[in-house]
Amino acid sequence: MWPAATSLSGTSGITMVNLRGDRAPKPNGFPNFLNILSLEFGKSDTRLLLTGVRARGEYEPYVFDVERGALTRATVEARLNAIGWAPGGDSILYALSGDQLFVRAVDGSGVASPTIRLRDGTFSGTLSAWGPWVAFSSQQGTDVRRLGIAHLDSADRVRWISQTGTDSRSPAISTDGQWLAFTSNENGRDEVFVTTFPVPDGRYLVSIGGGRSPSWARDSRTLYFQQGNEIQAASFTPGVKPVIGSPRVHFRRDPWGAAAVSSDGEQLVFADVAREGAPVALALRLHALRGK
């Protein structure tokens, strides 16, 4: 599960960066959050799934329409443990304070449909889905997080792919459904790895000197990830043994709390870290940059 609200440092707002230099509309009606926990672009990069926590400790998901500047609250109970886009991009997958994963339309229509149930542990953090598959991290009590893969119709059958005793999280399935990137501390610090999907075979190191929160380019030939105050990018050539290029700096800025990169690499969004004495309120700033 995400950390308790009392252990979180605040975020003072969100910054959106457009590397193409295009202008974007300003959203209206952003709520005040204590912290922004996760940000994720949807399938077409036109919508952003945002999860924030209120001062009272409740997690709330919102969907931001990047093109129209409209922000709407997703119809999900506040006892949220994990969330991510469902396949197709019109629904979200989420878990409450238990071991059951649900799917529901973003617009709140219909009812929440139960899918995977864990035998041991609870869903934690962000989810990644492709076709009938979902990748997720799970935690039991204070134990480290394990990484699992399950079919949405498989009831409680899970393929666990984490190394024993390591903390693994932030799964990201490639857009072609062939590879899974994730964060793990199996080397003694957080690094980004990739393995085959949905049947894991081999583990290949992507980051050099640390990395976390990977995401894929639209053509599955580039991996973006976070390292310190940088968004880095590494080329990826699939094969029996994939060829992974040396990471390069894609964008650099002041520290942030959470971030997301669009599948074309041109749009970035950051949850800004609140400076001491600054009011903790959510605002949005837009930066249009020409060139990289």
Side-chain angles (χ1 to χ4, degrees), residues 103-142:
V103 60
R104 186 165 191 177
V106 170
D107 61 12
S109 61
V111 296
S113 300
T115 57
I116 302 164
R117 181 181 293 277
L118 297 178
R119 293 180 179 177
D120 190 15
T122 58
F123 292 96
S124 173
T126 56
L127 310 165
S128 182
W130 185 92
W133 297 95
V134 61
F136 57 89
S137 59
S138 171
Q139 190 170 16
Q140 183 177 26
T142 58

Side-chain angles (χ1 to χ4, degrees), residues 166-189:
T166 63
D167 186 69
S168 300
R169 62 194 188 280
S170 305
I173 304 170
S174 62
T175 51
D176 62 9
Q178 301 297 308
W179 301 90
L180 175 69
F182 58 95
T183 305
S184 177
N185 67 355
E186 60 189 71
N187 283 0
R189 63 182 172 193

Side-chain angles (χ1 to χ4, degrees), residues 40 51 57-58 65 75 80 96 107 118 159 171 179 195 198 201 224 226 228 252-254 276:
E40 183 186 1
T51 306
E58 294 181 342
D65 188 317
T75 308
L80 196 65
L96 304 179
D107 61 12
L118 297 178
R159 296 173 181 166
W179 301 90
T195 186
D201 184 21
Y224 302 102
Q226 303 173 38
R252 181 183 288 116
R253 61 154 293 163
D254 291 335
E276 186 175 355

